Amino acid sequence: MILVYTGNGKGKTSACVGQAVRALGQNMTVAFGQFMKRDGQAGEQRMLAQWLGPRFLAGGEGFLRREKDRPAHRAAALRVLAWARARVPEADMLILDECLYALDAGILTRQEVEALMAETRAAGRHLVLSGRNAPDWLVREADLVTEM
């Protein structure tokens, strides 16, 4: 199942954390990656790191504010994407916070996100994506879309 939390409102990351808690409560294995957020930047990170250990990664460079920083952001996004792809075989639920921000900013490509979606579907895993500006093609492919 592919779930998307999008929109300009608050609560997308909180909804992702809620999905993680619910899945953990059902004895599911959860992996949670953050694309734009640096480690130690957000309040949920301490608890996610405690609960998930190496299945939690805050691998971002912060939000893209200057075009000259794009290469560093792209490299960070590729590291998080590689980490996420490696989690697919072991995680019942893969949560990728701010993935849609990275997609909208051109830090991730449509092809990269579609490939990850195909991998998770083929493996029978749940994939949760969050961020503003979910593209129409993703909204059509997702099983559940919540606009905040």
Side-chain angles (χ1 to χ4, degrees), residues 81-137:
L81 183 63
W83 173 90
R85 291 181 76 191
R87 304 285 83 72
V88 171
E90 68 189 39
D92 299 308
M93 179 175 282
L94 176 60
I95 301 170
L96 298 175
D97 187 32
E98 298 297 355
C99 176
L100 303 182
Y101 178 96
L103 179 63
D104 187 56
I107 297 166
L108 287 178
T109 68
R110 174 179 176 168
Q111 293 76 20
E112 289 163 340
V113 174
E114 284 179 322
L116 181 63
M117 291 168 59
E119 285 179 50
T120 57
R121 280 202 196 273
R125 306 302 191 210
H126 299 289
L127 177 63
V128 181
L129 305 173
S130 75
R132 295 178 184 222
N133 302 320
D136 291 340
W137 63 264

Side-chain angles (χ1 to χ4, degrees), residues 1 8 18 21 28 30 32 40 42 45 51 54 57 60 68 71-73 84 93 103 109 111 115 129 139 145 148:
M1 182 174 240
N8 294 327
V21 170
M28 295 172 73
V30 175
F32 195 117
Q45 293 171 334
W51 293 334
L57 175 66
K68 72 177 188 168
H73 284 269
M93 179 175 282
L103 179 63
T109 68
Q111 293 76 20
L129 305 173
V139 169
V145 177
M148 312 305 229

